[in-house]
Amino acid sequence: MEVIKEQFEYYSYPSMEFLSPADQELMQKAIDQLDHAYAPYSHFHVGAAVRLKDENIYVGSNQENASYPLCMCGERVALYNAAANQPSVAPTTLAITIHNQNMKIEKPVSPCGACRQVISEYENRHQQPIRILLKSDGPQVYEIRTIADLLPLGFNGTFL
Ligand code: THU
């Protein structure tokens, strides 16, 4: 038996001001999206903004439904928005922020498993790592350099 260890690095910034102006702009657009979330059931708002290689930005927020399994995550709305508008341009950075109306969450919250799988699909589609920026109510921002770090041994189209 062999034990295989994979290392995972991510970067923590004390606040948005430590990000590049482009990343600050992207995170601000994600924050603005918190007001567009439709989350009457969970009261958990998610805002997202994706920057493409040509510098265009597409946004999204979570959209819930009385039939709970139909709820769509904010990250996916943003990525699908980008892919529907500019299918051949690679996403380079995805900013995600959350706000739970029932409690304050200080630490950055990272995307759910389904969203990790979808982000991975777009990385593979364009052969371009997608940087992920995460922020919650607190000032701290996490940066993850590729979704592969959040989805080790991921399933992808090469198996099909
Ligand atoms: N949600 C997201 O938008 N992204 C995630 O990564 C996790 C969960 C949404 C789905 C639902 O509207 C609410 O947050 C609570 O799960």
Side-chain angles (χ1 to χ4, degrees):
M1 196 261 284
E2 190 188 347
V3 178
I4 299 160
K5 281 193 185 168
E6 280 206 47
Q7 280 205 333
F8 158 52
E9 278 177 7
Y10 62 105
Y11 304 83
S12 177
Y13 301 89
S15 73
M16 269 175 70
E17 288 65 47
F18 289 80
L19 301 176
S20 69
D23 284 351
Q24 285 186 41
E25 179 197 23
L26 195 68
M27 183 56 82
Q28 190 54 55
K29 285 195 187 295
I31 293 168
D32 295 344
Q33 278 300 301
L34 289 172
D35 290 336
H36 294 198
Y38 176 60
Y41 306 105
S42 72
H43 307 290
F44 185 84
H45 288 217
V46 180
V50 58
R51 184 184 292 280
L52 303 188
K53 212 161 189 169
D54 68 0
E55 303 299 338
N56 279 336
I57 292 174
Y58 292 89
V59 294
S61 57
N62 56 326
Q63 301 296 320
E64 297 191 346
N65 195 284
S67 175
Y68 292 174
L70 302 184
C71 294
M72 179 54 66
C73 294
E75 300 90 316
R76 273 183 280 166
V77 173
L79 284 166
Y80 293 156
N81 184 14
N85 280 285
Q86 293 193 249
S88 56
V89 187
T92 57
T93 312
L94 173 63
I96 306 166
T97 187
I98 62 99
H99 175 67
N100 185 333
Q101 293 191 310
N102 297 322
M103 63 171 165
K104 211 165 176 207
I105 300 179
E106 285 288 324
K107 290 264 176 207
V109 170
S110 63
C112 75
C115 286
R116 293 175 196 211
Q117 184 69 28
V118 169
I119 298 165
S120 167
E121 185 73 27
Y122 288 111
E123 272 203 5
N124 293 329
R125 176 178 180 180
H126 296 286
Q127 290 296 296
Q128 156 85 47
I130 301 176
R131 293 165 59 243
I132 299 165
L133 302 171
L134 303 172
K135 186 181 176 306
S136 297
D137 294 311
Q140 208 174 5
V141 177
Y142 289 168
E143 176 188 352
I144 292 135
R145 298 253 163 113
T146 163
I147 194 63
D149 286 337
L150 294 185
L151 196 65
L153 298 179
F155 182 79
N156 62 63
T158 64
F159 303 124
L160 301 174

